[in-house]
């Protein structure tokens, strides 16, 4: 009688584990879509700014997230199949996939954290040089567009302030046509509006574009980190449920 009760109890616990793992896979699939969405959003939303960065760490973190998100969605489907089939080999494969994705997200998280720590220093060292030496220069059209969009989107002028433009390659050439700042610094853009640098005509943001871009990138990195941590916690729960179910299934059914 006690053996029968124990078998019934084991069956009940196995069923509970199956349902928990199935619900987890649904949440995991949604989490994968969220991770991939954040990665795509990071690359698409104001992606022009990536050309202003000295390193590709920010973009690499986003690409890793997209890869991890795609793997998560595929693995979520695999997990549902493993639960339905109740085969230890499928569960083992599923566990390995979870572990692999966890490691990929860990790498993305470390990259994001490292870049977050050196973001301010990198912008201070390279943004002013990039803007003043490459703006409106032959073959630097992408940087020119990025700078114009940066100044218009964030309502700023110059890396630190509008005076940074006075010594730029563009402003000291005849091509500038007497401008003291690019037209994208103007509150209302018109042809040659950059000839006047009065506060009524151009943006005079405290801290310049460096402060604005740094805050923008920092916010994106925090979102990347938060989503990654959330999905990683789900994965740990999934790995625990998978191990428990794996132990309760004694032999693969043929």
């Amino acid at each position: 009688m006690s053996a029968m009760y124990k078998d019934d109890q084991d069956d009940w616990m196995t069923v509970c584990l199956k349902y928990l793992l199935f619900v987890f896979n649904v949440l995991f699939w949604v989490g994968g879509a969220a991770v991939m969405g954040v990665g795509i959003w990071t690359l698409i939303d104001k992606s022009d700014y990536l050309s202003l960065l000295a390193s590709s760490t920010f973009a690499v973190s986003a690409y890793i997230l997209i890869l991890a998100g795609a793997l998560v969605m595929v693995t979520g489907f695999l997990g549902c199949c493993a639960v339905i089939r109740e085969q230890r080999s499928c569960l083992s494969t599923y566990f390995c996939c979870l572990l692999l994705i966890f490691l990929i997200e860990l790498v993305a998280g470390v990259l994001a954290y490292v870049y977050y720590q050196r973001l301010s220093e990198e912008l201070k060292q390279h943004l002013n040089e990039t803007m003043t030496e490459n703006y409106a220069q032959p073959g630097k059209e992408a940087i020119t567009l990025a700078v114009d969009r940066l100044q218009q989107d964030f309502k700023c002028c110059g890396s630190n302030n509008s005076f940074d433009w006075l010594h730029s390659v563009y402003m000291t050439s005849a091509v500038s046509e007497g401008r003291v700042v690019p037209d994208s610094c103007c509150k209302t853009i018109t042809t040659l509006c950059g000839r006047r640098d009065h506060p009524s005509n151009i943006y005079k943001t405290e801290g310049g574009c460096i402060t604005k871009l740094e805050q923008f990138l920092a916010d994106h990195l925090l979102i990347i980190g938060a989503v990654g941590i959330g999905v990683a916690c789900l994965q740990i729960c999934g790995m625990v449920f998978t191990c428990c179910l794996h132990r309760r299934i004694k032999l693969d059914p043929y």
Side-chain angles (χ1 to χ4, degrees), residues 19-35:
Y19 278 112
L20 281 173
L21 197 53
F22 194 86
V23 170
F24 161 78
N25 278 298
V26 173
L27 295 175
F28 193 50
W29 193 91
V30 173
V35 168

Side-chain angles (χ1 to χ4, degrees), residues 5-34:
Y5 174 77
K6 186 176 184 304
D7 289 340
D8 290 341
Q9 189 179 36
D10 287 345
D11 290 341
W12 178 81
M13 292 184 71
T14 302
V15 169
C16 284
L17 281 172
K18 284 177 61 179
Y19 278 112
L20 281 173
L21 197 53
F22 194 86
V23 170
F24 161 78
N25 278 298
V26 173
L27 295 175
F28 193 50
W29 193 91
V30 173

